[in-house]
């Protein structure tokens, strides 16, 4: 595990402020997005490589945007899901958006970190006053989606996003017609080595939004239900799987609905959400709402009140099974090694392997201290704690503890960010 302090890069400045945000590590280098912000906006101004060997920093993207940054909007996929997918290969993808009075153009690029070469992929153009570009979404090496939405507010407006699949090797884009891909913001995970599959989570609302919509009489859906759909479509909670080659083939042949295999679904009775991926499995939780369970009289329904089940999809066998029943709310996290549960009180923190129930780590909180220690994260044998005090002049901070060295404090920082086996502090 590596710890990299970014304070020497992210110094406090007057407006415009400059910050460097890490988004990928590869070999002995870190790749960062340069963010520039004013009082009213923030924009990206280049991709930089930070060498861990000599701490040198230099820009690696090339093109007109280097000399004329104000002519382009630059985008690097940056959701946590995007970052996890970028970590699995040696490529970086980004887009540049520019516009004229009538037309908007989005150009996509690939940077190969092995050959250290940038390649142009393709340009997509559309009428500036009718469509809005929503951004990229990574799938796996060589494939990503991008989205647009209609600006026009009339009866002909399509309810779904306009989605395209980009095949980098072909330098071609394909229109996606499948309604699940066009609507859901849920997780999309490509896995497997020789035979690849994609797992897709169909969900349209956050957990909090869905529960409030189903239980509050004072709220109504602020969206118009599309023609031929019932209102419960926005509460559909399901997990699907499809062979990745078939996924690509059906999109490229303009199939209207993809041939998914449904692993689980729950609709308006509760929720299903993917919670993480390890080397061997993909994990998701499934919970039936208590107000639904109360309407049932059987023993098993009563036993599930206040609980949720944790499911594992085995990447090798492609079989899904329940591995735990846990009360909620709970503190469960997933990393490359497996899935874990945190139990915490005022005195100690205990971390259990959720599958084996084995106690993996114990930390006794410091007694008699003014600051309060709260579990935040764990990487290898290092525990990350968020600390705060009752004294208003002392801000929150984090500290990292080495559990193998008598709980020695490794570092103290204002905040942190984890990419793979590297922890960045500021």
């Amino acid at each position: 595990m590596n710890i990299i302090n970014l304070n020497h890069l992210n110094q406090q400045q007057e407006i415009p402020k400059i910050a460097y945000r890490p988004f990928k590590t590869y070999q002995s280098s870190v790749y960062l997005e340069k963010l520039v912000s004013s009082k009213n906006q923030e924009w990206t101004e280049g991709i930089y490589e930070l060498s861990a060997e000599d701490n040198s920093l230099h820009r690696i993207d090339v093109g007109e945007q280097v000399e004329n940054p104000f002519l382009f909007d630059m985008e690097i996929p940056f959701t946590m899901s995007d970052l996890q997918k970028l970590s699995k290969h040696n490529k970086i993808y980004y887009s540049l958006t520019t516009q004229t009075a009538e037309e908007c153009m989005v150009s996509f690029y690939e940077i190969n970190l092995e050959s250290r070469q940038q390649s142009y992929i393709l340009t997509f153009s559309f009428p500036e006053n009718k469509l809005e570009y929503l951004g990229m979404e990574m799938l796996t090496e060589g494939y990503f989606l991008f989205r647009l939405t209609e600006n026009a507010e009339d009866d002909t407006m399509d309810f779904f996003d306009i989605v395209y699949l980009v095949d980098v090797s072909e330098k071609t884009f394909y229109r996606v017609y499948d309604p699940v891909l066009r609507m859901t913001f849920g997780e999309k995970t490509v896995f497997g080595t020789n035979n690849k599959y994609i797992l897709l989570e169909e969900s349209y609302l956050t957990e909090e939004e869905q529960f409030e919509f189903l239980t509050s009489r004072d709220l109504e859906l602020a969206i118009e239900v599309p023609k031929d759909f019932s209102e419960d479509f926005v509460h559909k909670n399901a997990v699907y799987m499809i062979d990745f080659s078939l996924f690509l083939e059906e999109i490229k042949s303009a199939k209207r609905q993809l041939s998914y295999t449904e692993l689980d679904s729950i609709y308006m009775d509760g929720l299903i959400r993917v919670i993480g991926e390890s080397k061997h499995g993909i994990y998701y939780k499934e919970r039936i709402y208590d107000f639904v369970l109360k309407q049932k009289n059987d023993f098993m329904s009563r036993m599930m009140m206040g609980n949720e089940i944790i499911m594992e999809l085995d990447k090798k066998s492609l079989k899904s099974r329940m591995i735990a029943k846990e009360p909620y709310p709970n503190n469960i996290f997933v990393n490359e090694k497996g899935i874990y549960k945190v139990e915490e009180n005022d005195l100690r923190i205990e971390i259990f392997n959720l599958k084996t129930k084995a106690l993996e780590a114990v930390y006794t909180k410091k007694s008699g201290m003014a600051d309060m220690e709260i579990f935040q994260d764990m990487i290898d044998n290092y525990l990350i704690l968020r600390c705060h005090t009752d004294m208003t002049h002392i801000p929150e901070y984090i500290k990292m503890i080495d559990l193998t060295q008598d709980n020695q404090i490794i570092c103290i920082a204002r905040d942190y960010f984890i990419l793979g086996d590297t922890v960045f502090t500021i």
Side-chain angles (χ1 to χ4, degrees):
M1 189 199 72
N2 302 312
I3 301 175
I4 298 178
N5 191 310
L6 295 178
N7 283 332
H8 67 290
L9 296 177
N10 296 328
Q11 300 292 340
Q12 296 296 320
Q13 312 110 351
E14 298 297 324
I15 294 174
K17 292 185 177 181
I18 296 174
Y20 291 89
R21 180 167 64 180
F23 67 90
K24 182 174 177 60
T25 60
Y26 182 69
Q27 294 181 349
S28 60
S29 295
V30 177
Y31 296 89
L32 308 105
E33 176 182 8
K34 182 182 179 181
L35 297 173
V36 184
S37 59
S38 64
K39 287 184 178 180
N40 300 318
Q41 60 181 334
E42 180 180 88
W43 63 94
T44 296
E45 204 172 276
I47 300 172
Y48 285 76
E49 180 182 50
L50 175 66
S51 171
E53 296 175 353
D54 59 9
N55 221 29
S56 61
L57 182 72
H58 68 277
R59 187 167 183 171
I60 64 169
D61 63 297
V62 297
E64 190 180 351
Q65 77 277 9
V66 177
E67 299 298 328
N68 299 293
F70 295 107
L71 296 179
F72 302 90
D73 287 329
M74 187 175 192
E75 178 209 7
I76 303 165
F78 197 79
T79 67
M80 286 306 300
S81 178
D82 289 326
L83 297 187
Q84 290 172 359
K85 293 163 188 173
L86 282 169
S87 69
K88 296 178 180 179
H89 52 77
N90 62 358
K91 306 292 196 309
I92 292 173
Y93 300 95
Y94 73 92
S95 70
L96 295 175
T97 304
T98 188
Q99 63 185 54
T100 64
E102 298 180 349
E103 188 178 45
C104 189
M105 293 163 287
V106 185
S107 297
F108 299 98
Y109 299 87
E110 176 188 79
I111 300 177
N112 187 314
L113 300 179
E114 193 68 37
S115 65
R116 310 189 70 78
Q117 295 293 315
Q118 175 177 296
S119 302
Y120 166 75
I121 303 172
L122 58 88
T123 296
F124 181 88
S125 59
F126 54 90
E128 189 275 332
N129 62 337
K130 292 186 176 181
L131 296 172
E132 179 184 354
Y133 174 64
L134 298 180
M136 304 168 64
E137 181 180 2
M138 295 304 306
L139 290 177
T140 187
E141 179 178 358
Y143 299 96
F144 59 84
L145 304 172
F146 69 90
R147 292 176 179 267
L148 302 103
T149 189
E150 294 186 81
N151 283 329
E153 295 183 1
D154 55 41
D155 294 337
T156 63
M157 180 177 176
D158 192 349
F159 181 84
F160 296 94
D161 287 342
I162 301 169
V163 179
Y164 291 91
L165 168 76
V166 173
D167 185 320
V168 175
S169 64
E170 294 180 2
K171 297 186 181 297
T172 306
F173 58 86
Y174 298 88
R175 180 79 180 261
V176 176
Y177 294 96
D178 179 71
V180 176
L181 280 172
R182 293 179 64 194
M183 274 289 292
T184 184
F185 63 82
E187 180 60 47
K188 303 168 188 67
T189 303
V190 178
F191 64 96
T193 50
N194 297 327
N195 295 322
K196 289 188 176 181
Y197 299 84
I198 181 168
L199 177 139
L200 190 143
E201 169 196 288
E202 183 177 8
S203 59
Y204 304 116
L205 302 171
T206 67
E207 295 183 31
E208 294 77 15
E209 286 172 340
Q210 176 168 302
F211 184 78
E212 195 169 7
F213 281 133
L214 291 175
T215 57
S216 175
R217 295 182 178 179
D218 299 327
L219 290 174
E220 294 181 0
L221 290 177
I223 57 177
E224 182 183 351
V225 177
K227 185 179 179 180
D228 300 327
F229 279 85
S230 62
E231 188 172 300
D232 67 354
F233 90 101
V234 293
H235 303 294
K236 184 165 185 179
N237 295 270
V239 177
Y240 304 111
M241 185 175 65
I242 182 173
D243 182 282
F244 190 60
S245 296
L246 179 60
F247 173 85
L248 298 175
E249 177 187 325
E250 292 188 341
I251 289 177
K252 291 179 180 182
S253 62
K255 188 168 182 180
R256 260 41 188 180
Q257 287 189 311
L258 302 188
S259 304
Y260 301 113
T261 297
E262 183 180 288
L263 297 177
D264 270 308
S265 63
I266 203 166
Y267 289 85
M268 297 173 67
D269 283 350
L271 61 85
I272 293 176
R273 292 294 186 275
V274 175
I275 56 177
E277 175 187 9
S278 72
K279 182 178 180 180
H280 301 291
I282 300 172
Y283 302 93
Y284 59 95
K285 62 183 179 181
E286 183 175 326
R287 171 157 51 93
I288 299 176
Y289 293 126
D290 282 357
F291 73 84
V292 175
L293 292 171
K294 286 179 181 178
Q295 300 171 10
K296 303 179 180 181
N297 296 318
D298 61 288
F299 176 76
M300 292 305 298
S301 296
R302 295 293 176 177
M303 289 293 293
M304 281 303 299
M305 289 182 61
N307 293 285
E308 63 187 11
I309 60 174
I310 310 299
M311 305 291 294
E312 178 190 54
L313 173 66
D314 187 286
K315 290 181 178 180
K316 188 174 181 179
S317 69
L318 302 181
K319 294 182 178 179
S320 182
R321 68 183 183 98
M322 185 182 83
I323 60 170
K325 183 183 81 171
E326 292 293 323
Y328 65 89
N330 51 53
N331 193 348
I332 292 173
F333 68 95
V334 180
N335 59 30
E336 180 70 9
K337 294 181 179 179
I339 183 166
Y340 303 89
K341 177 177 71 171
V342 180
E343 293 189 357
E344 180 174 13
N345 56 39
D346 293 340
L347 301 177
R348 52 197 269 140
I349 297 170
E350 297 178 334
I351 299 173
F352 296 86
N353 184 304
L354 193 62
K355 290 176 66 176
T356 66
K357 312 304 179 186
L359 181 63
E360 298 278 339
V362 177
Y363 174 75
T364 302
K365 297 183 179 182
K366 305 303 180 187
S367 60
M369 296 181 65
D371 60 337
M372 297 178 61
E373 300 173 325
I374 301 172
F375 173 86
Q376 194 70 24
D377 223 321
M378 185 175 179
I379 174 170
D380 293 335
N381 295 312
Y382 297 88
L383 195 65
I384 299 176
L385 305 174
R386 186 164 296 278
C387 307
H388 63 90
T389 75
D390 294 331
M391 294 176 279
T392 57
H393 65 284
I394 300 178
E396 279 192 354
Y397 62 96
I398 67 106
K399 62 183 175 183
M400 186 177 298
I401 305 295
D402 187 342
L403 295 170
T404 65
Q405 297 295 324
D406 197 27
N407 295 337
Q408 178 183 353
I409 298 176
I410 301 301
C411 72
I412 294 177
R414 287 185 292 115
D415 213 339
Y416 77 103
F417 184 72
I418 296 177
L419 280 177
D421 61 353
T422 301
V423 179
F424 298 90
T425 61
I426 57 174

